[in-house]
Amino acid sequence: MAAVALLHWGTRFFQTVNNGAVRLISPMVLHGVRQKSSVQYISRPDLPKLAYRRVKGKSPGVVFLPGYGSNMSGQKSEALQDFCKSLGHSYLRFDYTGHGASEGVFSEGTIGTWKKDVLFMLDEVADGPQILVGSGMGGWLMLLAAIARPEKTKALVGISTAADHFVTAFKSLPLEARKEFEEKGMWTIPTKSNEEGVYTVSMDFLKEAENHCILQSPIPITCPVRLIHGLKDEDVPWHISMQVAERVLSSDVDVILRRHGQHTMREKDDIKLMVYTIDDLIDKLTTMA
């Protein structure tokens, strides 16, 4: 059974470690100091090149998976790089096909396309066991990757996890609205998460996405899972994280609900919580090893 905490995070950011001592987590993260890593590109046979940034370090590494239409240069991703550097752990972030600095056409991408991107980066770039951190759609891809690569996945941290969301949200629309969008071939979704104020999703995208839905049966993931979600998320309902928690087979699952949390979860206290959660997992995995 998943543990649920309704948290109002404070201004201090400390962790109690195994010997009972208390230490401050990453001053670089807290004070916004950014250390850039250079963008690299990796080629794939007959597929677009993917742009990525990588920091080498010890295991377990951390891999950040951004959301739909987002990229690897957001605040959460930058904060995680600073944090991993401060502890000496490896860190990998990248742009999916058609996103950010990667090649490809965004409108031609699918859940399957971006799942392949994640698996390729895990296989070819990530070295050793990883903690996957997925935001929004990245949380869905995180789960799909953990199912496909259990040997590479040591823990999961979902932020506003959007598992199955496009499909279930469309099916929850009134029948007349669905017919109207199906006739147009496109579904326009209002959002506060981008400058345009909408996401536009094709019917072909939705049909393909159905092949990757995972919430209708037990999810064969046994590693530690942490799911952070805002109760004021207007894009992806928080109960999706609860559904994920109920369906994963892992016995080590926590859901953290942020009372004032929005979908993007990029407020300073949200980022502190994310980093604290990952630091706690690293400590747990290191102790177990």
Side-chain angles (χ1 to χ4, degrees):
M1 185 68 180
V4 180
L6 295 175
L7 298 183
H8 182 271
W9 207 252
T11 56
R12 293 176 179 266
F13 189 43
F14 299 96
Q15 183 193 20
T16 302
V17 292
N18 289 337
N19 61 5
V22 176
R23 64 186 173 97
L24 176 67
I25 300 300
S26 186
M28 291 186 296
V29 174
L30 299 186
H31 298 296
V33 177
R34 299 292 176 223
Q35 297 186 20
K36 293 288 185 180
S37 56
S38 59
V39 176
Q40 301 179 67
Y41 292 86
I42 188 165
S43 299
R44 301 177 293 172
D46 303 319
L47 290 172
K49 291 181 182 178
L50 297 179
Y52 69 98
R53 295 179 186 266
R54 181 186 184 190
V55 175
K56 293 185 178 181
K58 58 189 175 183
S59 294
V62 176
V63 178
F64 182 75
L65 306 177
Y68 178 80
S70 187
N71 59 61
M72 63 175 165
S73 299
Q75 290 168 290
K76 295 190 292 291
S77 178
E78 294 280 0
L80 278 182
Q81 174 169 294
D82 292 342
F83 166 71
C84 288
K85 275 189 173 183
S86 74
L87 291 187
H89 283 263
S90 68
Y91 179 60
L92 173 66
R93 49 181 166 141
F94 63 96
D95 290 331
Y96 311 123
T97 298
H99 288 67
S102 288
E103 293 182 346
V105 180
F106 174 71
S107 61
E108 295 176 0
T110 64
I111 298 298
T113 298
W114 301 323
K115 174 186 173 182
K116 288 179 182 177
D117 293 347
V118 176
L119 297 182
F120 179 83
M121 295 302 286
L122 285 177
D123 292 341
E124 302 299 328
V125 181
D127 185 21
Q130 304 294 320
I131 297 173
L132 305 185
V133 183
S135 178
M137 182 192 73
W140 186 358
L141 297 174
M142 167 190 81
L143 294 165
L144 293 172
I147 294 168
R149 298 291 187 273
E151 72 285 356
K152 294 279 287 191
T153 308
K154 292 302 178 183
L156 302 178
V157 178
I159 304 159
S160 309
T161 299
D164 298 11
H165 176 59
F166 290 115
V167 176
T168 54
F170 183 76
K171 289 182 176 180
S172 69
L173 294 174
L175 181 59
E176 290 185 5
R178 274 183 283 159
K179 286 184 176 179
E180 181 180 343
F181 289 126
E182 286 169 355
E183 289 174 1
K184 292 179 179 178
M186 304 294 291
W187 177 30
T188 303
I189 315 165
T191 180
K192 294 181 180 179
S193 298
N194 62 29
E195 294 180 0
E196 294 78 19
V198 295
Y199 292 130
T200 302
V201 178
S202 72
M203 292 300 109
D204 288 340
F205 176 93
L206 285 174
K207 185 175 180 180
E208 195 277 342
E210 289 188 30
N211 299 324
H212 306 285
C213 288
I214 56 176
L215 293 179
Q216 300 308 310
S217 58
I219 302 173
I221 291 173
T222 57
C223 66
V225 179
R226 304 291 180 264
L227 301 164
I228 304 171
H229 217 124
L231 293 178
K232 293 190 177 180
D233 188 336
E234 296 181 7
D235 289 336
V236 180
W238 59 267
H239 66 73
I240 289 182
S241 285
M242 298 300 296
Q243 288 179 288
V244 172
E246 290 171 356
R247 285 163 177 72
V248 292
L249 299 181
S250 173
S251 59
D252 184 0
V253 184
D254 291 336
V255 180
I256 304 170
L257 301 177
R258 296 279 293 162
R259 185 170 62 180
H260 299 296
Q262 308 286 330
H263 178 66
T264 56
M265 296 290 284
R266 58 186 174 209
E267 296 298 321
K268 185 170 74 171
D269 286 346
D270 297 330
I271 291 175
K272 287 180 183 180
L273 175 59
M274 174 191 70
V275 173
Y276 173 86
T277 301
I278 295 165
D279 185 75
D280 187 60
L281 281 169
I282 289 175
D283 189 57
K284 181 186 183 77
L285 293 170
T286 303
T287 302
M288 288 170 60

